[in-house]
Amino acid sequence: MKNKRHRSKWLFLIPLSLVFFLSGCEQMVVFDPKGPVAQSQNDLIIYSLWFMLGIVVVVFGLFAYMLIKYRDRPGRGDKDYDPSIHGNTLIEIIWTVVPFVIVIALSIPTVETLYDLEDPAAATSYEDPSETLDEEPLVIHATSADWKWFFSYPEQGIETVNYLHIPTDRPIEFRLSSADSMAALWIPALGGQKYNMAGMMNKLYLEASEEGVYDGRNSNFTGEGFTDQTFKVHAESEEQFNAWVEETKSEAPVLTQEKYDSLLEPGLTDKMEFSSTHLEWVNHATNDGRDYAVERHREAYKEKLHLDRDGVPSSHE
Amino acid sequence: MNITDILVTGEPLIYGAMVSIVLVSTAAIFLLTYFKRWGWLWREWLTTVDHKKIGIMYILSALAMLFRGGMDALMMRIQLAFPGLNFLDAQHYDEIFTTHGTVMIIFMAMPFLIGLMNIIVPLQIGARDFAFPFVNAVSFWSFFFGAMLFNISFVIGGSPDAGWTSYTPLAGAAMSPGPGQNFYLMGLQLSGIGTLATGVNLMVTILKMRAPGMKLFHMPIFTWSTLVTCFIIVFAFPILTVALALMTIDRIFGSQFFTLTGEGLPMMWANLFWMWGHPEVYIVILPAFGIFSEVIATFARKRLFGYHAMVWSMIIIALLSFLVWVHHFFTMGAGAFVNSVFSVSTMLIAVPTGVKIFNWLATLYKSKIEFTVANLWALAFIPSFVIGGVTGVMLGMAAADFQFHNSYFLIAHFHYVLIAGTVFACFAGLVFWYPKIFGHKLNERIGKWSFWLFLIGFHVCFFPQYFLGLDGMPRRIFITRIEEWLPLNVISTVGAFGMGLGFAVFVFNIYYSYRYSEREKTGDPWNGRTLEWATPTPIPFYNFATIPHVDGIDYYLPMKEKGETTYDESKLEPIHMPSNSGQPIIMMAFFAFASFALVFEWIPLAIAGLIGGFIMMGVRSFDYDEGYHVEVDEIKRIERSARGL
Ligand code: HEM
Ligand SMILES: [Cu+2]
Ligand SMILES: [Cu+2]
């Protein structure tokens, strides 16, 4: 008997801890979206969580019931014991159909969201569907290279390394590619990731609706410097953004091919900005541009850097 | 050639490992010599073709690999919880998560299950051995040498560091030069071929060698799960073989299948890898389902609920498992239509899986549950796996997966399914069949300690990781620079040590029970339901003196009622058995040598090794050893002493 009370108390703790953890959700970035794309993904996740919680509650409830009721305790005898039951068509049909229905209920919004994410207007007017896209998306080429990020703004004619400025309330069309190994651009506060691959271009639409500084990173393993292949996203008002563009355009140096080639060498670099873009001589998203970095730095990929926690080669090498 | 080109130098941890490898090997050689056991080792184990002994060798190797993979895991967890220690640098961390993932899946989970299948399946279907016992030995040695080849990378040449998925172009020759990645390729290739052969072997065994009368739908559920798994192996492993071969040719001979230069197709690797890789996760989960079904039915003292539905859902899962691989790269930029198709097919797998969960629960309905250690592992699987399963469905929702992909959410999910599914099943199965295999039970009290430590450690370790993922922590980073991530990482590490402790207690239990447990006499310690329990313990090498005529599932129950046994003196006939052979180990040693040479791109040596291997194959094809017969008198003698008649 003592045993029984113990076990049920313990089982009660499971949903409780879930509630406890979920109440902390406000702070988790995925649940704290700062733009319409992240918002739509957040809503989809929350929607699915309700179903999952329901499934968990039902299964855990049944499980606890079976264990408590049908355990072989002293003195139970053959009461409620029926070793001959081995099937029941009706109930088996029910528990096949119900999961089916749940899968359908999850599939519909998933497919809808998938199609929306491909279309800048639908992806970024999520909060207010009546609001139609009045501005063309801002195009930014995001190129990953071992282990840094190049952001080229072709319209503005500027390029940054390892940080990003974007205007709020305007869709951003990221054109993703990579100079070498496959990476992924992920800014969880603004929305989910997509892969950067050499020789190809992926489009990712994101938008910030709140000003702020957000964490962005490469989330697909690319080797030693991967951990530090991060960047900050500065989302600011249209005016501030334009001012920043002007300033960069007038004050930053021109990006020469020589400089760019040396930056491509595997390693970590600081933030930088330039008043021209590398797209003038190479686009890694094309078949012609895809072996550009490898051809130039083949030997350098061989060197192990043994980066320690401060991102510098550690002492014993 | 310089010694530092071959031996890994400069890492204190690796020097420590080298010293311990040398010490352990020396101790083993010393003990074998001192007790004059070399001949015994050769005759009884290295040359055996007995499915039970091969199974035991599989399980022992898998336990050793669990230890290795577990040490890797703990090192990673220490690094993530105590960034200030500077315990591992980036490169070392990369090597460790790569070897951890590979070792756990290829050299621990699969071999453990194959070991159990090796021992149990022939017994469950009333067979005397595999269809091809010699091939079975070849398979084991190819797995074993593959595993050893992979493991020595860590002291000789350097470990692979591109992740167990080895995505190109990162894993290609340009960006991951050196022998590390070659070790991955050759180690997996060698052991993969063994797995494929085992798949064919077990499939033929189950289809052709069942006891008279046993229809497919009379087979015990573990045998069913094995059969379905074999179909997956036979269709999936050739893909891996080809993919590994292409990458090997890329790296060693300079072709351009997956490279950035020369218009290779790096993405093709991801496709090939996951066309094998997703079915692979079902290769390690379906047998686990089989084990849980056996254990739960036995200790609920009831027939499995919905046997037919259980079988059909496994078959449907197997078919679907080939249709979902793209869910591993929804973020690759395939269009909404493609992602939708794979998203829905992925979620559909939840339907047959849900059916299985409900059938297990219904098996408990109106039962009499005994909480033995084996059953505790099986029962704990249900709620734990459900958590892994529902988060799997969430990952399957492609639009949401853009946020989950490559994050700790994924790490939490797959450990929930792999540990709660496969590892719990390995423990449940080992504890359950232990008395049949080794002739004594494992101590229940110590077993419970290890169970609770491991179970609690498991949840403490992996549950917080869902939240780390939702907070934006990616997988495969060697240091967490965002302060908010630290507390949950520390909790997770505490849990990991709980699991480590649980495993240590489990191993201690093996030693303790070997010393002190009561020896098993009946052969049927749990009041079993299927034919493996009908054999005496220790199991005679020919398994069954007389093979029963089966007509129904759980056939051992009616046998017990009718007082039938697997020993009917009036029906004895000489039994044909295969002879032991040293050829499998020698053959695979040659191929392992060739693989080792290829790792370092020593082409002439590799060719020499290959020639040696092919000569052994030639020798085998002119080997007319037909085996031998066990005479009736000897069977009588063995059975009488085993049954105490
Ligand atoms: C003691 C229990 C375990 C602990 C503490 C543990 C911990 C970890 C950690 C810390 C990582 C690396 C995460 C990262 O930085 O990306 C990892 C990755 C992984 N683990 Fe485990 N693990 C355990 C058991 C297992 C088991 C039993 C399996 C398989 C049957 C497994 C399969 C994997 C795989 C496939 C990866 C991915 C490796 C990669 O990213 O290439 N683990 N685990
Ligand atoms: Cu691509
Ligand atoms: Cu998969």
Side-chain angles (χ1 to χ4, degrees), chain A residues 34-35 138 153 163-170 172 187 189-190 206-215 232-241 244:
Chain A
K34 303 290 187 197
L138 170 68
Y153 298 69
Y163 76 101
L164 192 58
H165 277 246
I166 55 168
T168 51
D169 294 323
R170 178 169 175 196
I172 314 292
I187 309 168
L190 303 185
L206 296 178
E207 182 183 306
S209 42
E210 267 178 56
E211 294 182 17
V213 181
Y214 307 121
D215 288 316
K232 293 278 182 204
V233 185
H234 302 262
E236 55 205 12
S237 68
E238 188 88 43
E239 301 82 67
Q240 279 172 307
F241 174 74
W244 170 79

Side-chain angles (χ1 to χ4, degrees), chain B residues 278 324 327-328:
Chain B
H278 190 81
V324 301
H327 66 209
H328 294 277

Side-chain angles (χ1 to χ4, degrees), chain A residues 108 113 252:
Chain A
I108 294 167
T113 315

